[in-house]
Amino acid sequence: MASHKIQKAKDASTTDETELAVAQALVDLESNIPELRPLAISGAKEVELAAGKKALVIFVPVPMLAGFRKVQQKLTRELEKKFSDRHVVLVAQRRILAVPSRRSQGKQPRPRSRTLTSVHNAILDDMVFPTEIVGKRLRQKVDGSKQLKVFLDAKDATSLEYKLDTFSAVYKKLTGKAVSFEFPANAEVF
């Protein structure tokens, strides 16, 4: 019944129980949030956090991202009530194209929006959507590892403070990069 809410690519794997549970929750929420009727998801994944908690990452098709953003705050609140022990994060399903080489030269140049850096920055923006990123600092440690510090808008500190560890764990799982989220003490610096 809820499988019509899942739009997967042709080569994608079959739907699992997490995706079906999220799709069913979206169908149930359509009566409260009528803007959800034309929207669908492309996948869902559970991510393990520290201290045994879990986060639910919902992937949405890029063309439907604007529709999800209109109702994202209300939707995440309702989904976190339904899945009471999990934080909910919405991310667009983006594709990374490989760097063209001599052998795999395409007919068209690779768009900037399909590069690895662009997709990782877009994932960062999607995760923290209601708030804005006001600054980024990349710290190169002596052992060669990199730590990305992301500064979020201080006006949303009260509503997002509890999700900062979730954002870090989800970004690490999706991209493999270590990141820490903070609210700047001095907002005039940025």
Side-chain angles (χ1 to χ4, degrees):
M1 169 155 165
S3 61
H4 71 280
K5 280 291 192 185
I6 302 173
Q7 289 183 357
K8 288 198 169 250
K10 293 173 188 147
D11 57 346
S13 62
T14 60
T15 59
D16 60 349
E17 65 274 355
T18 306
E19 293 170 349
L20 288 174
V22 171
Q24 184 60 47
L26 288 176
V27 169
D28 295 343
L29 289 174
E30 277 182 2
S31 60
N32 295 343
I33 309 171
E35 294 90 4
L36 282 178
R37 275 191 217 294
L39 302 178
I41 64 170
S42 60
K45 185 190 288 189
E46 277 189 345
V47 175
E48 293 287 329
L49 304 176
K53 292 194 170 198
K54 291 183 180 181
L56 188 62
V57 182
I58 301 172
F59 296 99
V60 300
V62 176
M64 294 183 185
L65 183 63
F68 272 103
R69 286 198 168 168
K70 289 178 185 174
V71 294
Q72 184 167 348
Q73 287 180 314
K74 191 186 298 186
L75 180 65
T76 52
R77 194 177 325 113
E78 294 296 324
L79 286 175
E80 284 177 355
K81 284 181 194 173
K82 276 204 183 291
F83 303 105
S84 60
D85 56 341
R86 301 180 189 112
H87 291 154
V88 176
V89 178
L90 289 172
V91 177
Q93 181 75 48
R94 291 187 167 84
R95 181 179 301 268
I96 299 172
L97 294 180
V99 179
S101 65
R102 296 174 105 194
R103 295 175 194 241
S104 65
Q105 195 81 20
K107 302 235 186 292
Q108 297 176 338
R110 177 175 66 153
R112 290 269 189 234
S113 63
R114 306 292 196 284
T115 61
L116 181 98
T117 305
S118 175
V119 169
H120 285 185
N121 286 337
I123 288 173
L124 206 55
D125 290 336
D126 289 346
M127 281 195 320
V128 299
F129 167 65
T131 187
E132 293 179 0
I133 296 173
V134 294
K136 292 181 193 175
R137 301 288 183 267
L138 184 62
R139 182 172 181 207
Q140 185 90 22
K141 295 185 180 176
V142 178
D143 62 352
S145 64
K146 295 179 182 178
Q147 175 74 27
L148 180 67
K149 278 187 173 182
V150 176
F151 296 100
L152 302 176
D153 199 355
K155 68 177 169 50
D156 298 319
T158 56
S159 61
L160 286 178
E161 191 76 45
Y162 70 99
K163 272 190 167 183
L164 296 182
D165 295 334
T166 302
F167 291 156
S168 297
V170 168
Y171 191 75
K172 176 76 171 170
K173 177 74 173 173
L174 294 178
T175 64
K177 294 180 180 177
V179 66
S180 64
F181 292 90
E182 299 176 11
F183 295 102
N186 189 2
E188 292 85 40
V189 172
F190 300 105

